[in-house]
Amino acid sequence: QVEVALAAAGKPKDTRVDAGIARELAYRSAVRAVLEGKIGRLGKGYSIVLKVVDADTARVLLTRSGTAKDEDALIPALGEMAKQLRKGLGENQQALKATRAMTLVRTPSFEALRLYDQGIQAMRTRSANREALAFYRAALAIDPDFASAWRAMAFPYANLGCPDSQLVCIEKALRRPDRLTQGQRLGLERMRAVAEGNIASVVAA
């Protein structure tokens, strides 16, 4: 799953996943939170700090700290702290309530992805076609090959009664097949066939 998220972000699969990268990958995958940790020497033993961080806001949701008297005690101590964190998260489920649907989109730009997500939210929550178009255009200004943004733009154009613009967006997305899943590509082919009134191609897609 990490490698899939790294590929969607345009990063090499052997990228070292630090706290910042972890939050970006979590956001891209609609994962609500990440676990960050720090282990330091404390005489002959170790000090441990673990925290659960909201992927969207970087807000710390829970923190646990502990110690291990030596190397042999380190893994058991981490296990006990993880158990405490799971218990704490179970008591605070509202903090981890999902706010975004998981949709695999491929863009190396995190900022373009955030703008795309704002467009999706504008459509889902308010049916705000023109507002969504502005977000998608801003995302495409950063990443012109962002096929999912071209694909998303087709929907508000269809709602606004602009079939020519809808078809342009579909074509632009289909010209970037490496940035689409097979399902997304077939869905676009179906949408294009509907707009063209080609029933046989609709059924085939």
Side-chain angles (χ1 to χ4, degrees), residues 105-107 112-113 116 139-140 143-150 179:
V105 294
R106 293 184 170 96
T107 175
L113 175 65
Y116 166 87
L140 287 164
D143 179 7
D145 291 320
F146 193 173
S148 290
W150 285 115
R179 302 280 289 269

Side-chain angles (χ1 to χ4, degrees), residues 187-204:
L188 283 165
E189 289 177 4
R190 179 197 60 79
M191 197 188 306
R192 177 175 61 188
V194 169
E196 293 172 342
N198 187 336
I199 303 304
S201 294
V202 172
V203 174

Side-chain angles (χ1 to χ4, degrees), residues 31-50:
V31 171
R32 295 295 300 130
V34 297
L35 177 66
E36 298 178 9
K38 187 173 183 180
I39 299 173
R41 290 307 299 246
L42 187 65
K44 294 182 179 179
Y46 297 88
S47 64
I48 310 163
V49 178
L50 298 180

